[in-house]
Amino acid sequence: MKGTRAHGSRPLRKREYDEDDVRVRPSKGSRPRTRIRPAHEDAVEGFVVAVDRGRYTTLVEPERPRGSAQKRKPPQRRLVVAMKARELGRKGIVVGDRVALVGDVSGRPDTLARVVRVEPRSSMLRRSADDTEDTDGIERPVVANADQLVIVTALADPPPRPRMIDRILVAAFDAEIDTLLCLTKSDLAPPNELVALYEPLGVPHVVVRKGGSLEELRDQLTGRTSVLVGHSGVGKSTLVNALVPAANRAVSQVNAVTGRGRHTSTSAVALELPDGGWIIDTPGVRSFGLAHVSVETVLAAFPDLIEGTVKCPKGCTHLDEDCALEAWVAAGNADPARLESLRRLLASREGTPDDTPRPQGPAQPELPDQN
């Protein structure tokens, strides 16, 4: 019925809405967030010894009793399993990290603590996933806070892979940690040729053999945090089991046709040495990408050659004919062997990461290996 009036005063019409009639609910994430985070002053310090699918096994040292309580037997160290707190975001945690833990840090079975802070790192060993043209160039952290990188390589069965050794050395230069070349299976082949190859780089080395003494290697490891890196089948796990009898790292075989070993260590783990120090055993690698390492980083490991690059053209890779290092070294300013080593490392940085010889001849039965 048209024209009707309400209470005989005003004509009916559609209601007029204003902002007070609309209830606005904030969308998800629109609430202002404070940058203030809990200080976690009561957090305990832990050392990450293993990482497995988002769970971090950490070693927690007991607090020393004070005063008269010092006469009592101190509490034992304990392993605490933890997860990463949400507030850490995408910050990665790797073996060797020192972290702060809160929550249930008793270490009892079926308990879970939280990692709320990663302490500043003294070093970080990284590698890229690949060096091909379609590489994402993303750095893959290997271990944190190591002060020595031990490159484990066999002298035979499988044969040495100098290009792989070169690439791992470049990664060590990038991480600014010391290097040690550990040559295994010297009962199968002499070490002289390989030792001479790395002598201009000043890389120290130890030579071990099956059933031989490991005292020289122990001396190099005691009191340090060392990460062991090498491709599969070189005897790395056998070394770890000899150095830390309770380790029980799995060993495997080397295929006689491909010259490759099987991956027996599936994740990195830190193991304490009986005489002090730590070794971090890593899975065997078949490539060690260096897409994240610059030419300048490699050159920094050759201070005796840096002066000779002053006259190099802009963007010089030090591998081309117009590089000024050639004439500078020829003038007697540096050892030619050092320039050769530098260029070998630079070439390995840009080249193919895998230099394993192709298999030849008919298939042969697999031989036992000391992995």
Side-chain angles (χ1 to χ4, degrees):
M1 180 176 176
K2 283 187 176 183
T4 58
R5 296 172 179 269
H7 305 292
S9 56
R10 300 177 57 188
L12 293 177
R13 58 180 179 176
K14 293 181 180 180
R15 184 179 176 189
E16 296 178 356
Y17 290 91
D18 59 24
E19 62 271 15
D20 292 331
D21 293 300
V22 181
R23 296 183 62 185
V24 178
R25 189 173 184 178
S27 62
K28 185 177 180 181
S30 65
R31 180 186 300 177
R33 298 184 63 183
T34 175
R35 293 184 179 180
I36 300 175
R37 294 289 182 266
H40 297 299
E41 295 178 354
D42 58 342
V44 300
E45 183 179 323
F47 175 65
V48 179
V49 297
V51 178
D52 182 22
R53 293 170 291 184
R55 295 294 183 264
Y56 306 95
T57 303
T58 61
L59 180 67
V60 175
E61 297 282 352
E63 293 184 4
R64 296 292 179 182
R66 299 177 181 178
S68 59
Q70 290 184 352
K71 297 180 181 179
R72 303 174 188 172
K73 184 178 180 180
Q76 298 295 315
R77 297 188 300 177
R78 60 192 184 278
L79 291 175
V80 176
V81 179
M83 62 181 292
K84 184 172 65 174
R86 182 177 297 179
E87 61 200 67
L88 289 181
R90 296 185 178 181
K91 186 177 182 63
I93 302 174
V94 296
V95 172
D97 266 326
R98 296 200 173 274
V99 298
L101 304 169
V102 299
D104 193 335
V105 294
S106 64
R108 292 190 299 265
D110 301 322
T111 61
L112 195 63
R114 285 187 301 131
V115 178
V116 295
R117 187 170 61 250
V118 178
E119 304 298 345
R121 294 157 171 162
S122 60
S123 68
M124 172 60 80
L125 179 65
R126 299 178 172 89
R127 70 184 181 101
S128 301
D130 201 357
D131 286 336
T132 57
E133 293 181 359
D134 58 348
T135 180
D136 53 16
I138 297 177
E139 301 174 9
R140 310 297 195 220
V142 181
V143 297
N145 299 318
D147 55 33
Q148 180 172 239
L149 189 154
V150 182
I151 306 170
V152 183
T153 187
L155 292 166
D157 189 30
R161 293 168 59 184
R163 187 180 295 273
M164 171 68 78
I165 298 173
D166 291 346
R167 297 172 74 82
I168 298 174
L169 280 175
V170 171
F173 295 153
D174 178 61
E176 297 183 349
I177 59 179
D178 297 336
T179 55
L180 174 67
L181 190 59
C182 179
L183 306 178
T184 64
K185 306 183 184 182
S186 62
D187 51 314
L188 302 180
N192 308 65
E193 184 176 349
L194 200 60
V195 169
L197 183 63
Y198 291 96
E199 188 175 5
L201 287 170
V203 179
H205 70 276
V206 294
V207 180
V208 299
R209 58 186 302 158
K210 184 178 180 180
S213 173
L214 295 178
E215 287 307 308
E216 186 179 1
L217 178 59
R218 283 195 179 95
D219 290 342
Q220 296 281 358
L221 300 177
T222 299
R224 309 193 68 173
T225 300
S226 305
V227 51
L228 275 60
V229 178
H231 61 88
S232 302
V234 297
K236 187 161 51 68
S237 296
T238 298
L239 278 180
V240 171
N241 289 335
L243 294 167
V244 187
N248 294 323
R249 298 295 272 176
V251 297
S252 187
Q253 296 178 327
V254 171
N255 187 295
V257 177
T258 64
R260 298 179 183 268
R262 294 195 180 99
H263 295 290
T264 53
S265 301
T266 57
S267 60
V269 61
L271 302 163
E272 192 170 16
L273 293 166
D275 296 329
W278 291 84
I279 54 173
I280 301 176
D281 186 22
T282 62
V285 294
R286 289 178 178 170
S287 66
F288 212 97
L290 299 173
H292 63 286
V293 180
S294 66
V295 173
E296 291 73 20
T297 297
V298 182
L299 183 61
F302 294 80
D304 51 328
L305 298 178
I306 292 179
E307 184 180 347
T309 64
V310 174
K311 295 183 179 180
C312 285
K314 185 178 180 179
C316 182
T317 64
H318 309 301
L319 295 172
D320 302 326
E321 295 180 356
D322 55 352
C323 176
L325 279 173
E326 189 76 37
W328 193 78
V329 170
N333 295 302
D335 187 346
R338 290 280 289 171
L339 176 58
E340 181 182 352
S341 296
L342 169 64
R343 288 180 166 172
R344 193 178 75 239
L345 294 185
L346 291 173
S348 72
R349 171 186 166 274
E350 298 182 354
T352 304
D354 190 345
D355 61 355
T356 305
R358 294 185 178 181
Q360 298 180 356
Q364 299 292 332
E366 292 186 345
L367 300 177
D369 173 53
Q370 314 301 318
N371 188 39

